[in-house]
Amino acid sequence: MLQKEGAFAPLVLVPTASGVTATYSDLVSALGNGRRILGLTARGACDPEACHTTIESAAAAWIDALAEDDPSLTFDLCGFGYGGIAALEMARQLAAAKRRGPGLVLIGTPPPQTEKPSGWLFSMKNVFRRLNPEDRVEPFTPIGEPAQTHEAAWRRYRFVPCALQARIIIPSDFPPDAASAWLAILPSARLEPVKCTWSEMLAYPAVKRLASIISDS
């Protein structure tokens, strides 16, 4: 529990590759006390050997945990980097189960690769390659076994396209192709370019703008 009270649907912060929500401390402060905020923790944060090795299994476990807290699953999802991809998969699984779709905000998240029939946007492979030339889901070097396991899971992950609504916050140093790549995957997404760099997104003053976008979602 990162913020106990609020009048709006709870906001659930999905952890970055580190597996803990401490990365979001400045963002939580910038969001203020207007809504309840929950922070998920990765299973491997305390026991690296227990890490989920796929994003799909991590997403399913987090959905189950949230359902125990609130069976109606009336919450919004938000995540940075790995957390954004995991939040996207959680939203996809909820949609596939015909559950209420949460609000979804992805912060500084590279577009995932996707499985599609042969011939579908073959040129997009080069776009994805240019988006993240160092093959990283976050701008920071992964430290510790959980972060390394989560980054490996991201490399293997393939998104199953579906009609999801999302707000995607794109930093200034993402390649121009990032926007078109996301819209090819989620045509209904609303893109939110910000002037800060990828590595600056979760710190002041950039979090003030992120908090404004999240609160308006």
Side-chain angles (χ1 to χ4, degrees), residues 67-144:
E68 289 184 10
D69 181 77
D70 179 4
S72 67
L73 292 173
T74 54
F75 55 83
D76 294 331
L77 288 169
C78 178
F80 174 84
Y82 170 87
I85 293 294
L88 177 66
E89 174 60 20
M90 290 171 71
R92 187 203 67 78
Q93 290 185 19
L94 288 167
K98 301 188 184 305
R99 301 296 298 264
R100 174 187 178 274
L104 181 61
V105 180
L106 311 181
I107 304 169
T109 301
Q113 295 194 58
T114 181
E115 298 288 1
K116 293 294 286 186
S118 177
W120 179 82
L121 293 179
F122 179 78
S123 62
M124 290 299 292
K125 291 183 179 179
N126 290 329
V127 172
F128 290 125
R129 195 171 294 118
R130 291 196 300 274
L131 285 173
N132 204 9
E134 296 181 0
D135 195 26
R136 294 162 63 186
V137 69
E138 293 171 11
F140 315 109
T141 302
I143 299 175

Side-chain angles (χ1 to χ4, degrees), residues 12-207:
V12 176
L13 295 177
V14 185
T16 59
S18 67
V20 296
T21 54
T23 318
Y24 296 117
S25 57
D26 285 346
L27 178 61
V28 171
S29 175
L31 285 166
N33 57 7
R35 71 190 304 180
R36 185 177 179 221
I37 302 176
L38 304 175
L40 298 174
T41 299
R43 190 171 66 179
C46 297
D47 180 6
E49 293 185 358
C51 272
H52 285 282
T53 57
T54 70
I55 286 177
E56 292 88 343
S57 63
W62 280 326
I63 289 172
D64 287 345
L66 289 168
E68 289 184 10
D69 181 77
D70 179 4
S72 67
L73 292 173
T74 54
F75 55 83
D76 294 331
L77 288 169
C78 178
F80 174 84
Y82 170 87
I85 293 294
L88 177 66
E89 174 60 20
M90 290 171 71
R92 187 203 67 78
Q93 290 185 19
L94 288 167
K98 301 188 184 305
R99 301 296 298 264
R100 174 187 178 274
L104 181 61
V105 180
L106 311 181
I107 304 169
T109 301
Q113 295 194 58
T114 181
E115 298 288 1
K116 293 294 286 186
S118 177
W120 179 82
L121 293 179
F122 179 78
S123 62
M124 290 299 292
K125 291 183 179 179
N126 290 329
V127 172
F128 290 125
R129 195 171 294 118
R130 291 196 300 274
L131 285 173
N132 204 9
E134 296 181 0
D135 195 26
R136 294 162 63 186
V137 69
E138 293 171 11
F140 315 109
T141 302
I143 299 175
E145 188 174 335
Q148 294 172 10
T149 300
H150 293 152
E151 189 166 272
W154 165 73
R155 293 192 189 102
R156 293 190 300 270
Y157 179 69
R158 297 295 181 269
F159 177 62
V160 179
C162 57
L164 290 175
Q165 300 285 334
R167 295 185 81 167
I168 302 172
I169 306 176
I170 299 177
S172 61
D173 54 346
F174 262 27
D177 290 329
S180 58
W182 268 117
L183 290 176
I185 297 169
L186 295 177
S188 299
R190 181 174 172 180
L191 306 182
E192 299 280 1
V194 292
K195 295 181 179 179
C196 63
T197 65
W198 198 18
S199 62
E200 296 170 338
M201 295 187 84
L202 294 182
Y204 279 99
V207 287

